[in-house]
Amino acid sequence: MRELLHKFENKKPEIVFEWNDEETGAEGWVVINSLRGGAAGGGTRMRKGLDKREVESLAKTMEVKFTVSGPAIGGAKSGINFDPNDPRKGEVLERWFAAVKPLMKYYYGTGGDLNVDEIHEVIPITEDCGVWHPQEGVFKGHFQPTEAQMINRIGQLRHGVSKVLEDENFSPDLKRKYTVADMITGYGVAEAIRHYYDIWGGNVADKKAVIQGWGNVGAAAGFYLAQMGVKVIGIIDRDGGVINKDGFSFEEITGYFLERKGNQLKAENIMSFDEVNSQVWDLGYEIFVPAAASRLVTKDQVERMLAAGLEVLSCGANVPFADKEIFFGPIGVYTDERCSVIPDFIANCGMARVFAYLMSDEVGLNDEDIFNDTSETIRKALNKTHAVNAKKTNIASTSFEIALKQLV
């Protein structure tokens, strides 16, 4: 696995597009790791301090993810170095998507990502630029559909991704009109944990969990885990957190989901970040979901969680460990050798899978069809890993080896 990983990490990307915005000083990159299958896909993120190296890393991560989610295309990513809280964000995105339009028309498909919303920003802005849909390039480059097929599948995508959830099993509040895109990634992270216990043994409903990050992914994962009967005993967010050693009720977790301000946890009993950070790693729980930014989880935190009984870590964030390596550095290896790590390209593949599902021939478009397809995709990937390695350690490295053999 190490040799395959080294080759894949060190392969130069096939295409790198660089952009500078004269009006704001924003800079951006599209990195296309390869045009495997004639196209490449990956979301658009924005954050202050982002650089080309981060975008290259994420493009490679997407290529691995597509070996699980499908379609069989190359990995790509867009990144913009700009403060997403700046009031000029919308103007920057408009100029960005106008600049990358030629790529999106023929071989590159994108979507939302960190600080860029799929429904309210990516889709309307790209349509205004003259792109039928943010995934148009994947259709043309990979599927090469007839015009009739193109119209039909883009219709499926438009309806499916922005579909308002109607099934209370998948939505924390039907009145608030949450969409598939709002919930599907966190759902997959939670389903990965459920399937892990089904396959490797254990009862998920007997477990306790801590969630790191309370944005769309972390909050949704917490909601679905609580729905399964898991006792969420702690949430640590950027500016604070909450702890209840006996576990929050399903109603309390749902309340924390609904009371969020943007992607931030809001609670009457919120603790300071320093206070919750000093306690949360030692509480004693079997499940940890890192769903905040990349490269945050330190070796000290892992050691403390392991000492307190950690069994499984389901990666809601891409590359959650504080390693400099693109995929698998010393902290990731250390954790994988001592507990069960469900890697990001399996656990958080939900949105990529929804795109692949909706690009297929006519498919069911109700909530259950879409969510069950993501769940089944994750289950199949974990079953493949279990067939090679039935131990509860080295799950991530085994999964990487299976994926990389398809790419290197």
Side-chain angles (χ1 to χ4, degrees):
M1 192 278 287
R2 296 291 179 85
E3 185 178 341
L4 289 171
L5 195 58
H6 180 76
K7 285 182 180 179
F8 186 69
E9 285 185 340
N10 287 282
K11 175 184 174 291
K12 286 187 176 181
E14 194 165 329
I15 298 169
V16 178
F17 174 93
E18 188 165 348
W19 173 79
N20 291 282
D21 185 37
E22 289 186 4
E23 296 189 34
T24 64
E27 53 185 351
W29 301 266
V30 179
V31 175
I32 293 175
N33 192 57
S34 81
L35 287 173
R36 172 180 176 244
T44 299
R45 66 169 44 192
M46 177 186 287
R47 73 171 185 86
K48 189 174 181 179
L50 178 147
D51 59 18
K52 183 169 71 172
R53 167 72 173 176
E54 180 176 334
V55 185
E56 288 179 354
S57 300
L58 292 166
K60 289 183 182 293
T61 298
M62 285 304 305
E63 188 142 330
V64 176
K65 187 174 292 186
F66 285 129
T67 67
V68 173
S69 70
I73 60 173
K77 205 74 176 182
S78 291
I80 303 168
N81 177 16
F82 190 70
D83 183 354
N85 297 311
D86 191 301
R88 299 170 294 174
K89 176 188 179 185
E91 303 169 25
V92 170
L93 286 173
E94 288 170 4
R95 291 191 288 272
W96 165 259
F97 284 121
V100 300
K101 174 183 172 180
L103 284 65
M104 296 177 65
K105 291 293 287 184
Y106 295 103
Y107 53 77
Y108 171 52
T110 194
D113 199 87
L114 183 70
N115 298 319
V116 179
D117 187 84
E118 172 82 21
I119 306 300
H120 301 105
E121 293 173 323
V122 179
I123 291 175
I125 294 173
T126 54
E127 285 183 352
D128 286 346
C129 290
V131 177
W132 281 21
H133 188 275
Q135 295 292 320
E136 182 178 346
V138 175
F139 277 120
K140 286 183 177 174
H142 179 69
F143 291 99
Q144 301 181 347
T146 64
E147 186 170 352
Q149 289 172 327
M150 185 88 161
I151 292 168
N152 173 262
R153 294 184 189 183
I154 283 180
Q156 282 187 170
L157 266 170
R158 283 178 170 167
H159 177 72
V161 172
S162 59
K163 182 186 182 302
V164 173
L165 298 175
E166 302 168 286
D167 188 328
E168 63 183 7
N169 291 315
F170 301 110
S171 173
D173 186 351
L174 295 177
K175 293 178 183 176
R176 300 212 188 180
K177 298 185 177 180
Y178 291 104
T179 66
V180 169
D182 291 328
M183 303 299 294
I184 195 70
T185 305
Y187 171 80
V189 172
E191 284 292 282
I193 294 165
R194 184 172 70 85
H195 291 313
Y196 162 79
Y197 281 111
D198 284 345
I199 296 167
W200 273 271
N203 182 4
V204 70
D206 293 338
K207 308 302 180 181
K208 293 181 179 180
V210 161
I211 314 291
Q212 181 188 43
W214 203 244
N216 271 3
V217 178
F223 168 76
Y224 292 118
L225 286 171
Q227 190 181 62
M228 294 173 196
V230 173
K231 292 294 185 185
V232 177
I233 65 170
I235 301 167
I236 178 168
D237 202 21
R238 184 179 62 191
D239 297 321
V242 290
I243 289 173
N244 179 345
K245 293 179 182 179
D246 295 323
F248 295 102
S249 67
F250 174 63
E251 289 73 23
E252 286 173 314
I253 291 296
T254 302
Y256 289 142
F257 184 107
L258 298 174
E259 290 158 15
R260 285 180 307 152
K261 298 297 181 185
N263 279 334
Q264 288 183 279
L265 173 71
K266 294 294 178 183
E268 290 183 5
N269 57 336
I270 197 164
M271 303 160 64
S272 71
F273 176 82
D274 288 342
E275 189 178 5
V276 72
N277 188 51
S278 69
Q279 298 179 40
V280 75
W281 314 107
D282 307 303
L283 292 177
Y285 44 90
E286 294 82 14
I287 297 166
F288 177 58
V289 176
S294 300
R295 306 184 191 282
L296 291 182
V297 181
T298 67
K299 186 178 180 183
D300 174 70
Q301 291 164 352
V302 171
E303 289 174 339
R304 290 163 67 182
M305 288 189 286
L306 288 169
L310 182 67
E311 293 178 353
V312 60
L313 187 154
S314 184
C315 299
N318 286 321
V319 197
F321 300 107
D323 290 316
K324 69 180 189 300
E325 287 80 3
I326 291 177
F327 290 115
F328 224 42
I331 302 170
V333 171
Y334 176 87
T335 311
D336 191 43
E337 290 175 345
R338 289 162 176 81
C339 72
S340 299
V341 177
I342 305 173
D344 48 23
F345 64 93
I346 294 177
N348 72 15
C349 77
M351 197 68 240
R353 179 56 205 169
V354 168
F355 284 140
Y357 175 75
L358 296 171
M359 288 183 201
S360 306
D361 292 333
E362 291 187 19
V363 292
L365 293 178
N366 63 45
D367 298 348
E368 189 173 9
D369 289 330
I370 296 170
F371 279 73
N372 284 354
D373 173 77
T374 289
S375 176
E376 182 64 11
T377 297
I378 291 169
R379 186 190 67 79
K380 286 179 179 177
L382 290 175
N383 270 328
K384 283 183 181 178
T385 299
H386 185 264
V388 176
N389 172 24
K391 297 185 299 181
K392 292 185 177 182
T393 55
N394 296 309
I395 290 174
S397 58
T398 303
S399 301
F400 269 115
E401 185 170 5
I402 292 168
L404 291 169
K405 282 180 177 177
Q406 301 174 57
L407 300 175
V408 177

